[in-house]
Amino acid sequence: MGDDTIAIRRIATMSVERHEFAPWDTPRNRKTQGVYATLCVSLLFFGLLGLGWWALRPGQGDGVIGLFAGIGMLFLGVLLGIRAAMIAVMLKKREPYYRLMIGTSDARQIPLVDNNRDVLVKIRDVVRHKMDTGDTTVTGDFDLNLDSVNLRLPKGAALGAAVAAPAPVPAAQEDDVFDGPKITF
């Protein structure tokens, strides 16, 4: 969207919501975990069969082969089982994200999603200040990728403490690093 201005008319509600998602919980990772678990169980089974073969034929040459094959398969089965357990733990891991939901009186909803709640709260407070006071002289922009809210206040104007403390970002960093949407308010 570049440096576009988004006009939101008839704002009715604004709320910052917390949600969770599991970044590792994908069909590919579930399938990988299933393959590791299946190989673990089958290698453990055949490893125990190899050890049993050695126990049944202790003095024979094929019994020694069964012993070494059984130990190797048990070792690989344990390693694959540990890997399957590690993937299972990662599948359960959940991470939070936050969403500023702006609802309008004509039933539209505009979501702004970020992993930093403070930035979304600052954006909400700026919009609320502009709506409550009708002050059109306060301008600024925000960048969700850099977690920055930059306000340009007229001389002598002051906003509330929650709004007036934007995260400072050097101008060179803002222009050099930014490659995503930047919205002006």
Side-chain angles (χ1 to χ4, degrees):
M1 292 187 300
D3 289 326
D4 292 342
T5 299
I6 297 176
I8 303 173
R9 304 213 189 277
R10 297 179 300 275
I11 293 177
T13 61
M14 290 187 298
S15 64
V16 177
E17 305 166 346
R18 182 180 194 273
H19 297 278
E20 291 185 348
F21 74 106
W24 266 74
D25 195 5
T26 64
R28 181 178 178 191
N29 288 339
R30 286 187 173 276
K31 185 176 181 180
T32 302
Q33 186 218 9
V35 168
Y36 280 135
T38 302
L39 287 174
C40 167
V41 170
S42 58
L43 282 173
L44 290 175
F45 174 74
F46 287 114
L48 288 174
L49 279 179
L51 290 177
W53 186 260
W54 170 73
L56 290 175
R57 302 178 56 93
Q60 310 281 332
D62 60 345
V64 175
I65 292 173
L67 171 68
F68 288 123
I71 290 173
M73 285 187 213
L74 284 173
F75 181 71
L76 284 174
V78 168
L79 288 179
L80 290 174
I82 290 171
R83 182 66 182 146
M86 288 171 52
I87 292 174
V89 167
M90 294 300 285
L91 288 173
K92 301 270 186 233
K93 185 177 179 183
R94 302 187 64 77
E95 294 181 8
Y97 72 93
Y98 301 95
R99 180 172 66 181
L100 171 60
M101 186 63 73
I102 301 173
T104 63
S105 60
D106 58 354
R108 288 186 301 152
Q109 291 187 341
I110 297 96
L112 296 174
V113 178
D114 195 26
N115 60 353
N116 188 342
R117 184 180 190 280
D118 295 334
V119 170
L120 295 176
V121 168
K122 286 179 188 177
I123 294 168
R124 182 199 63 195
D125 290 345
V126 168
V127 173
R128 181 182 294 154
H129 172 78
K130 288 182 75 145
M131 286 176 21
D132 290 346
T133 63
D135 184 7
T136 59
T137 58
V138 176
T139 60
D141 56 41
F142 62 92
D143 184 352
L144 295 178
N145 289 335
L146 295 176
D147 289 338
S148 68
V149 177
N150 302 313
L151 297 177
R152 288 179 286 286
L153 301 172
K155 292 182 181 180
L159 292 176
V163 179
V169 175
Q173 179 187 1
E174 180 180 340
D175 294 336
D176 293 342
V177 178
F178 178 68
D179 63 348
K182 183 176 181 182
I183 302 171
T184 305
F185 55 86

